[in-house]
Amino acid sequence: MKRVLVVDDDPTVSEVVAGYLDRAGFAVDLAADGPTAVARACAQPPDLVVLDLMLPGMDGLEVCRRIRTAGPLPVIMLTARGDEEDRILGLEVGADDYVTKPFSPRELVLRVESVLRRAGAPAAPRVETAQPWLRAGPLALDPTARRATRNGTELGLTIREFDLLEFFMRHPGQATSREQLMQRVWGWEFGDLSTVTVHVRRLREKVEDDPAHPRLISTVWGIGYRFDLPGSQEAEVDDGR
């Protein structure tokens, strides 16, 4: 049974979310403030955190920063604000997704399941069907172990950043819209496209020599993004031998 830590100072919201998650088969822990959330996440790391942005004692952004220092713990941010900047800040500190209040509890459960599926991708059964490494210029990516390196140095990628890089490396030279990326990487048929924009920006900061002038992940104006390499070199697969 997967464990979800729900962090919200509104008891009504916490109870409703906990009820829906419980009926969906999750074990649920609750925290009503930032310091308590950090303490519980560190003492017994959950499989995922549903985290409100506005919290007493410590806001959700700081909570997210602190719990993510221990490892790539999946986080879904809740926010009552309509300001896009707040949602983008949540994604930039490492949240894997966000939901804006008021929200449908059923939709939140679907988002939780979606993020956990991505987080659980490197499960043990996949060892028997290990996939070859992908290599492209300075980048190397192991889909089975979910490790990625740049010039031999391991990259600290979030779940979504890894999925996004893997998609790009499997489709070099292909212009892909943000809508297509949301469908094929996130598995969503709808959603706020700024989610894609922010994750591309964060990924560029980790794989580009100069993120302000990207050469690997190019913007295709009016369409979306394209994964390129100097000299139009295509990504290669390597069986590791």
Side-chain angles (χ1 to χ4, degrees):
M1 181 179 291
K2 297 290 187 180
R3 291 180 54 252
V4 178
L5 174 62
V6 177
V7 187
D8 198 303
D9 62 335
D10 186 331
T12 300
V13 172
S14 294
E15 290 172 9
V16 170
V17 170
Y20 272 81
L21 288 170
D22 178 70
R23 287 191 290 275
F26 295 98
V28 183
D29 295 329
L30 300 177
D33 59 72
T36 301
V38 172
R40 290 188 180 175
C42 292
Q44 189 176 7
D47 295 289
L48 181 142
V49 179
V50 175
L51 177 63
D52 190 27
L53 179 63
M54 302 299 294
L55 292 169
M58 182 189 303
D59 67 26
L61 296 176
E62 183 59 26
V63 172
C64 188
R65 290 189 187 98
R66 295 194 184 191
I67 64 178
R68 289 302 298 272
T69 59
L73 176 62
V75 174
I76 296 179
M77 193 78 75
L78 300 180
T79 173
R81 301 180 181 180
D83 190 347
E84 180 179 348
E85 185 61 27
D86 291 320
R87 301 196 297 271
I88 290 175
L89 282 173
L91 295 171
E92 289 186 332
V93 297
D96 297 279
D97 191 10
Y98 66 86
V99 177
T100 303
K101 297 179 180 178
F103 58 87
S104 163
R106 292 180 181 177
E107 179 187 350
L108 177 59
V109 171
L110 292 175
R111 295 289 182 92
V112 168
E113 292 172 340
S114 174
V115 171
L116 283 174
R117 278 197 300 272
R118 296 286 180 175
R126 292 188 60 181
V127 173
E128 299 177 0
T129 56
Q131 302 178 52
W133 282 69
L134 297 173
R135 300 185 186 277
L139 303 176
L141 182 146
D142 182 349
T144 302
R146 290 182 69 85
R147 296 176 56 244
T149 62
R150 180 176 181 273
N151 292 323
T153 301
E154 187 151 354
L155 297 170
L157 302 179
T158 66
I159 294 168
R160 296 297 191 189
E161 290 167 359
F162 184 94
D163 294 338
L164 190 59
L165 179 60
E166 181 177 0
F167 177 86
F168 280 139
M169 292 181 70
R170 291 189 184 277
H171 302 86
Q174 175 180 310
T176 309
S177 69
R178 291 188 299 168
E179 291 87 352
Q180 290 172 319
L181 288 171
M182 179 161 284
Q183 292 169 4
R184 300 181 68 177
V185 176
W186 275 256
W188 304 343
E189 293 300 322
F190 63 92
D192 190 333
L193 296 180
S194 65
T195 298
V196 178
T197 304
V198 172
H199 278 83
V200 169
R201 182 166 72 232
R202 286 175 54 85
L203 183 58
R204 281 172 168 165
E205 291 172 356
K206 297 178 180 182
V207 304
E208 299 279 0
D209 289 328
D210 182 1
H213 300 89
R215 300 187 63 188
L216 296 174
I217 305 174
S218 303
T219 298
V220 182
W221 297 108
I223 299 179
Y225 304 99
R226 185 184 63 239
F227 184 74
D228 289 326
L229 288 173
S232 299
Q233 175 186 354
E234 290 191 355
E236 300 174 348
V237 295
D238 182 352
D239 63 8
R241 292 179 293 180

